[in-house]
Amino acid sequence: MFETRNTAVRVKEMMVERLLQFCSLLSVFTTMAIIYILMSETWGFFQKVSLWEFLTDTQWTPLFTIKHFGIMPLLCGTMLTTVIALMVAVPTGLISAVYLSEYASASVRKIVKPILEVLAAVPTVVYGYFALLFVTPVLKKIFPDISGFNSLSAGLVMGIMIIPLVSSLSEDAMHAVPMRLREGAYAVGSQKIQVAFNIVLPAALSGISAAIILAVSRAIGETMIVAIAAGQQPHLTLNPLVPIETISAYIVQISLGDTPHGTLEYKTIFVCGMTLFMMTFFLNMMSFKLRKRFQEVYD
Amino acid sequence: MKPYFQEREKKMLVAAEQSKPSIKITDHIYAGNSANMRNGDTKIQVERFSFRYGANKVLKDVSLNVRAREVTSIIGPSGCGKSTLLRCFNRMNDLIAGTRADGNILIEGQDIYDPRVDVVELRKKVGMVFQKPNPFPKTIFDNIAYGLRINGIRQKSEIIQRVEQSLRDSALWEEVKDRLTDSGLSLSGGQQQRLCVARALAIQPEIVLMDEPASALDPIATAKLEELIVRLKEKYTIVIVTHNMQQAARISDKTAFLMQGEMVEFGVTKDIFTKPTKKITEEYITGRFG
Amino acid sequence: MIKILDRIFKYIGIGAVLLGLIVLAVLVLDVVRDGFPRLTWDFFTSYPSSKPEQAGILSAWVGTLWIMLTTAALTIPLGIGAAIYLEEYAPKNRWTDFIEINIANLAGVPSVVYGILGLGLFVRALHMDRSVLAGSCTLALLVLPIVILSTREALRAVPSSIREAAYAVGATRWQAISGQVLPAAFGNILTGIILAMSRAIGETAPLVTLGALTYIPFLPTPPVSVSPSFPYVNFSLKGLLDPFTVLPIQIFNWVSRPQKGFLICAAAGIIVLLIITLCLNGAAIYLRHKHQKNW
C-alpha cells in the first residue's frame, strides 16, 4: 500500500538534490581557484625575489629601472588609510549603534537603519570622486600644505563608508542582549547611559568586536577610494598629508598599464593580491568565530 | 513532546529517509500476519511501540488498536507523548534528527516503519491537521489544489470539482465559495483550521490525524470543528490528540490515556470517563492533575 | 549629574547617526552641482571622446546593462540553488560547517582579489579575454555569497509549519520547497538579489583588474537585430564575447584625467550611477518592508 508509485519522481528528487549540492560546492571551488591562482604566480615571484627582501626592503619600485620589492611601503599606506578610516567609523558606528539600540524607538530604528545602509551601497568610485574633489580641497583650508593626493581624505571618506558596517552589526549584537539583563539594572534606578555602557556593551562585546574586525578587513581591501584619492607613490611614511600607495591601489595601477603577461612586474599584482587575501582571510575568520560564539551565548 | 522543533534538526532525517530504497511490497509478505486477519476492521495497530529523541524515551511500549471509521482520541497531561505518538502515524517525526522507533505500527497490516515504505505514499493515505492552523500563504483554492497537483491531478475540471467537494466536506464551502481567490490567511482562525481539514481531505486519505486542532480556536469555532469531526467519521478514520477532556468525551468512540510515555488505559470512551479501571485515570479525568 | 550625561549622550548619538547622512547629502549636492548641467540627451547617446564636451556614456550604460543582465542570469540560479541546499538539504556535519565558513569568508574577500581571480581564471585560463562574459563571471562570483546569505535568511524566515503542511499532503521534499517554501520566501529572496545587483553595478576595482578597457567607442553585438532579408530578426549572443566598459570604469577614467571638463563628465556619470543604485536600494527597502509578514 505504501510502496513508491512513481520512480520518476524519486529520480527527479535525487537529481534536484545533486544539482543544488553542486551549486553549494561552487563556493568551495571559488576559494580553491583564488588560492590556486594567487599561489602559482606568487610562487614564480618568490623564485626571483627572496621572501626576506619582500618583507624587509623599505622601497617598492617594480616599475623603475632599479627594482625594489619591499612590501613595507604599500603595507604602511594600507595601514595608514585603514587606521584613519577606523578612527571615523568605530566611534561613530558604535555611538550610533548604542543610540539606535538603547535610545531610539522601534519606529525610528526601522527608518534610520536602512537609510544608514545606503551609505555602504554608494559605489566606491563615487566616494573616490568625493574624496579627491571635495574633501581634499576642504582639508586644504585646514592644512595648507596638504597634497592633492593624501591618505587623510581617502581615510576619512572610507570611514564614512564603513559606518553602517560597524553600526549595523554592533546594533544587532546589542539588540540580542536579553532584556532581563537591562531590567536588572533599571530596577536599581540606573540611567540609560549606565545600562548601555555597564551592561549592554560588555555583554555584546564579542559581537561588537566581530563588527570592528570586519570593518578593518573591509578597509584593508577597499580599493577605489584610495586608488583615486590617496595617490600612487609608495612612501614609507605616517604623514597623512602626503601621497602614498596602498596594496589595493597598486593592483589597480598595474592593471591600468599594459604590463606584459608573465613578467615579474605582472606577478607583483598576484603577490599583492595574496597579501591582501591572507590579511583579510585571517580577519574574516576571527570575525566569524566571534560572531558564532556570540550567537551561541544568546540563542 | 515538542511539536515545533528546530529547523536545523529537521534536515538529516529527510535525507536518510529519501535515500532508503523503496521496493514494492507485495501482499503475501503480510498474508501470514494472523493478527491482521483476525481484526478485520482494525485500521491502525500499534504494537509495543517505543520512540526516543536521542536519549530521551518519550514513548514506552505503547499498544493500541484504532478501528476504521471511528474517532479515537488520545488524552494525557502535556509532555506525555500524545503528539509524538500521533506524529508517528504519518512518520512526521522523521523530520527530526536523532529519533529512533522500536516496535511496530501497522496500518492495514503493513508496518509503516519498514525501511521499504515510502513516507510520501504513507502521508497521502494518512492526512494531518495541525495544532495551529497553518494554511499556505496562497489563495483558498490553491491551498487545496496544491495537494491534488502534487498527486498528479492535472485536469482543471477535476481539481475544481475536488476542491469544492472537500470544502463542502469540511463545512466551509458556503462561507468561502465567493472568495476562493482570497488568501487563505485572510480567513478567521476557525475557518483557517477547517481549510486545513479540507486540504487534508482533498487528497482522499483514509486516516485523518488531528493534533489538538481546536487549541487555538474560540468556543464557537471549536463547536463547529467538533461537529465536523463527528460527521467526518462516516468516511474517515480519525485519531485526535486533545488536552480537552470534555472534547474527547463529546466526540470520540475510543479514548486512550497516555502518561509519561506509557499507555495507562485504552477503551470505549464512555467507559473511560464513567468507570475507569485505574485510579490515576480517574484522577486525571476528574481534573486532580494535568 | 548622570541624568545630564544621559541627555548629552542622547544628542551625541543623534549626531553620530546624522553624521553619515549629512556627508551623504553633501556628496549628492556636490555631485549634482558639478554634473547636472552636463546631463543632456547627447550625454547618453555619445561615445567617450578625447574632447570632454563631446564625451558621453553610451558605451558605458549599455555595457552596464549587459553586465547586469548576464551577472544576474549567472548568479541568481547558482546562489538560490546553493542556499536551498544549505538550508533545506545539507546534513549537519563538518563538511557543511566548512562550506558555511567558506561562504562567510568569500563575502569578505576584497573585490580587487576577485578581479585577480577573474584575470587568472576567466581572462587567461579560459580564454574569455576582456569580454562581457569574463566580467560578468567575475562579478557573479563576487556577489554569489551575498545572494546565498540573503536567500538562506529568507528561507529560514518561512515557518516550519508550512513545510509540515506540505509534507502532510504527501509532498516530496522538492515539491514542498518549490511549491510552498520558495514562493513564501520570494519577496525576501528578491530583496537580496536586488541588493546584490546594486553591488555588482557599482563595482569598479575587479573589472579594472580584469583589464576592462576604458576607451570603448563601440557597443557589444546586440542580442537582437533586424535585417531586411530572411529571417528578418536575428538573435545573437556574440555580444557576450565583445569587449565592454561600464559606468564606474568610465567615471574612474574621467576622474583620473587632469582636465576640468572630464571631471564634469565624471560628476554627470556619477549622478546616473547614483540614481541607479539608490533606486535599487530603495526598491529593496520597500520590498523588505512589504514582505515583513507575521506568521
Side-chain angles (χ1 to χ4, degrees), chain B residues 15-41:
Chain B
E17 147 216 325
Q18 300 213 332
S19 61
K20 276 177 198 160
S22 169
I23 300 167
K24 186 171 160 59
I25 302 167
T26 43
D27 293 335
H28 70 262
I29 296 179
Y30 292 98
N33 189 328
S34 53
N36 183 39
M37 302 306 279
R38 270 203 310 274
N39 308 327
D41 56 352

Short mmCIF file of all heavy atoms in Angstrom, two decimals, chain B residues 15-41:
data_model
loop_
_atom_site.label_atom_id
_atom_site.label_comp_id
_atom_site.label_asym_id
_atom_site.label_seq_id
_atom_site.Cartn_x
_atom_site.Cartn_y
_atom_site.Cartn_z
N ALA B 15 16.93 13.42 4.68
CA ALA B 15 17.98 12.93 3.79
C ALA B 15 18.07 11.42 3.90
O ALA B 15 18.09 10.70 2.90
CB ALA B 15 19.30 13.57 4.16
N ALA B 16 18.07 10.94 5.14
CA ALA B 16 18.18 9.50 5.35
C ALA B 16 16.97 8.80 4.75
O ALA B 16 17.09 7.81 4.03
CB ALA B 16 18.27 9.21 6.84
N GLU B 17 15.83 9.42 4.99
CA GLU B 17 14.58 8.79 4.57
C GLU B 17 14.52 8.66 3.06
O GLU B 17 14.08 7.65 2.52
CB GLU B 17 13.44 9.65 5.13
CG GLU B 17 12.21 9.73 4.30
CD GLU B 17 11.59 11.12 4.42
OE1 GLU B 17 11.66 11.72 5.51
OE2 GLU B 17 11.07 11.58 3.41
N GLN B 18 15.02 9.71 2.36
CA GLN B 18 14.87 9.68 0.92
C GLN B 18 15.92 8.84 0.24
O GLN B 18 15.79 8.53 -0.93
CB GLN B 18 14.89 11.10 0.39
CG GLN B 18 13.75 11.90 1.00
CD GLN B 18 13.19 12.93 0.06
OE1 GLN B 18 13.90 13.41 -0.79
NE2 GLN B 18 11.94 13.26 0.21
N SER B 19 16.97 8.50 0.99
CA SER B 19 17.97 7.66 0.34
C SER B 19 17.64 6.18 0.49
O SER B 19 18.26 5.33 -0.10
CB SER B 19 19.35 7.97 0.93
OG SER B 19 19.33 7.69 2.30
N LYS B 20 16.64 5.90 1.33
CA LYS B 20 16.26 4.50 1.51
C LYS B 20 15.65 3.95 0.22
O LYS B 20 14.84 4.62 -0.41
CB LYS B 20 15.23 4.38 2.63
CG LYS B 20 15.85 4.31 4.01
CD LYS B 20 14.75 4.27 5.04
CE LYS B 20 15.29 4.64 6.39
NZ LYS B 20 14.21 5.06 7.29
N PRO B 21 16.01 2.72 -0.13
CA PRO B 21 15.40 2.16 -1.33
C PRO B 21 13.93 1.85 -1.06
O PRO B 21 13.54 1.56 0.06
CB PRO B 21 16.19 0.88 -1.54
CG PRO B 21 16.67 0.50 -0.18
CD PRO B 21 16.88 1.78 0.56
N SER B 22 13.16 1.95 -2.07
CA SER B 22 11.76 1.62 -1.90
C SER B 22 11.41 0.51 -2.87
O SER B 22 11.57 0.63 -4.07
CB SER B 22 10.92 2.86 -2.18
OG SER B 22 9.59 2.46 -2.25
N ILE B 23 10.94 -0.58 -2.31
CA ILE B 23 10.65 -1.74 -3.14
C ILE B 23 9.17 -2.01 -2.99
O ILE B 23 8.57 -1.76 -1.93
CB ILE B 23 11.45 -2.96 -2.64
CG1 ILE B 23 12.94 -2.65 -2.74
CG2 ILE B 23 11.11 -4.21 -3.43
CD1 ILE B 23 13.79 -3.64 -2.00
N LYS B 24 8.59 -2.48 -4.03
CA LYS B 24 7.17 -2.78 -3.95
C LYS B 24 6.95 -3.90 -2.95
O LYS B 24 7.60 -4.93 -2.99
CB LYS B 24 6.66 -3.19 -5.33
CG LYS B 24 5.17 -3.38 -5.36
CD LYS B 24 4.69 -3.58 -6.79
CE LYS B 24 3.32 -4.24 -6.82
NZ LYS B 24 2.29 -3.49 -6.11
N ILE B 25 6.07 -3.64 -2.03
CA ILE B 25 5.80 -4.65 -1.01
C ILE B 25 4.58 -5.43 -1.46
O ILE B 25 3.50 -4.88 -1.60
CB ILE B 25 5.54 -4.00 0.34
CG1 ILE B 25 6.75 -3.16 0.75
CG2 ILE B 25 5.24 -5.06 1.38
CD1 ILE B 25 6.47 -2.26 1.89
N THR B 26 4.78 -6.69 -1.69
CA THR B 26 3.63 -7.47 -2.18
C THR B 26 2.81 -7.95 -1.00
O THR B 26 3.30 -8.10 0.11
CB THR B 26 4.11 -8.67 -3.00
OG1 THR B 26 5.20 -9.26 -2.30
CG2 THR B 26 4.59 -8.22 -4.36
N ASP B 27 1.57 -8.21 -1.28
CA ASP B 27 0.63 -8.52 -0.21
C ASP B 27 0.98 -9.79 0.55
O ASP B 27 0.74 -9.90 1.73
CB ASP B 27 -0.77 -8.64 -0.80
CG ASP B 27 -1.25 -7.30 -1.31
OD1 ASP B 27 -0.74 -6.28 -0.80
OD2 ASP B 27 -2.09 -7.27 -2.21
N HIS B 28 1.61 -10.73 -0.15
CA HIS B 28 1.81 -12.02 0.50
C HIS B 28 2.77 -11.92 1.69
O HIS B 28 2.76 -12.76 2.57
CB HIS B 28 2.27 -13.09 -0.49
CG HIS B 28 3.66 -12.89 -0.99
ND1 HIS B 28 3.94 -12.29 -2.21
CD2 HIS B 28 4.86 -13.19 -0.44
CE1 HIS B 28 5.25 -12.24 -2.37
NE2 HIS B 28 5.82 -12.79 -1.31
N ILE B 29 3.61 -10.87 1.70
CA ILE B 29 4.51 -10.72 2.84
C ILE B 29 3.68 -10.65 4.12
O ILE B 29 4.05 -11.19 5.16
CB ILE B 29 5.36 -9.45 2.72
CG1 ILE B 29 6.28 -9.57 1.52
CG2 ILE B 29 6.16 -9.19 4.00
CD1 ILE B 29 7.15 -8.36 1.30
N TYR B 30 2.56 -9.99 4.01
CA TYR B 30 1.74 -9.80 5.19
C TYR B 30 0.59 -10.79 5.28
O TYR B 30 -0.19 -10.76 6.22
CB TYR B 30 1.20 -8.37 5.22
CG TYR B 30 2.34 -7.42 5.45
CD1 TYR B 30 2.93 -6.76 4.38
CD2 TYR B 30 2.88 -7.26 6.73
CE1 TYR B 30 4.00 -5.94 4.58
CE2 TYR B 30 3.96 -6.43 6.93
CZ TYR B 30 4.52 -5.78 5.85
OH TYR B 30 5.60 -4.97 6.04
N ALA B 31 0.52 -11.69 4.31
CA ALA B 31 -0.61 -12.62 4.28
C ALA B 31 -0.62 -13.49 5.53
O ALA B 31 -1.68 -13.87 6.03
CB ALA B 31 -0.55 -13.48 3.04
N GLY B 32 0.55 -13.77 6.06
CA GLY B 32 0.62 -14.64 7.21
C GLY B 32 0.41 -13.91 8.53
O GLY B 32 0.47 -14.50 9.60
N ASN B 33 0.18 -12.63 8.45
CA ASN B 33 0.01 -11.85 9.67
C ASN B 33 -1.36 -12.14 10.28
O ASN B 33 -2.37 -11.57 9.89
CB ASN B 33 0.16 -10.37 9.34
CG ASN B 33 0.21 -9.54 10.60
OD1 ASN B 33 -0.42 -9.89 11.60
ND2 ASN B 33 0.93 -8.45 10.52
N SER B 34 -1.37 -13.01 11.23
CA SER B 34 -2.66 -13.50 11.71
C SER B 34 -3.41 -12.42 12.48
O SER B 34 -4.63 -12.35 12.43
CB SER B 34 -2.46 -14.73 12.59
OG SER B 34 -1.52 -14.43 13.59
N ALA B 35 -2.67 -11.57 13.16
CA ALA B 35 -3.34 -10.52 13.92
C ALA B 35 -4.19 -9.67 12.99
O ALA B 35 -5.32 -9.31 13.29
CB ALA B 35 -2.31 -9.65 14.62
N ASN B 36 -3.60 -9.40 11.84
CA ASN B 36 -4.30 -8.59 10.87
C ASN B 36 -5.55 -9.30 10.38
O ASN B 36 -6.59 -8.67 10.20
CB ASN B 36 -3.35 -8.32 9.71
CG ASN B 36 -3.99 -7.42 8.68
OD1 ASN B 36 -4.70 -6.49 9.03
ND2 ASN B 36 -3.77 -7.72 7.42
N MET B 37 -5.44 -10.61 10.17
CA MET B 37 -6.57 -11.35 9.67
C MET B 37 -7.70 -11.35 10.69
O MET B 37 -8.85 -11.19 10.35
CB MET B 37 -6.15 -12.81 9.38
CG MET B 37 -5.02 -12.95 8.39
SD MET B 37 -5.31 -12.10 6.84
CE MET B 37 -6.36 -13.31 6.04
N ARG B 38 -7.33 -11.50 11.94
CA ARG B 38 -8.39 -11.57 12.95
C ARG B 38 -9.11 -10.24 13.10
O ARG B 38 -10.32 -10.19 13.12
CB ARG B 38 -7.77 -11.98 14.30
CG ARG B 38 -7.75 -13.47 14.52
CD ARG B 38 -7.70 -13.79 16.00
NE ARG B 38 -6.64 -13.04 16.68
CZ ARG B 38 -5.37 -13.43 16.77
NH1 ARG B 38 -4.98 -14.56 16.20
NH2 ARG B 38 -4.48 -12.71 17.40
N ASN B 39 -8.36 -9.16 13.16
CA ASN B 39 -9.01 -7.87 13.36
C ASN B 39 -9.32 -7.24 12.03
O ASN B 39 -8.61 -6.40 11.54
CB ASN B 39 -8.11 -6.93 14.15
CG ASN B 39 -7.63 -7.59 15.42
OD1 ASN B 39 -8.34 -8.40 16.00
ND2 ASN B 39 -6.42 -7.27 15.81
N GLY B 40 -10.38 -7.72 11.46
CA GLY B 40 -10.71 -7.29 10.11
C GLY B 40 -10.80 -5.80 9.96
O GLY B 40 -10.31 -5.23 8.99
N ASP B 41 -11.40 -5.15 10.91
CA ASP B 41 -11.60 -3.72 10.71
C ASP B 41 -10.63 -2.88 11.53
O ASP B 41 -10.87 -1.72 11.80
CB ASP B 41 -13.05 -3.33 11.02
CG ASP B 41 -13.45 -3.74 12.42
OD1 ASP B 41 -12.67 -4.45 13.08
OD2 ASP B 41 -14.53 -3.34 12.85
#
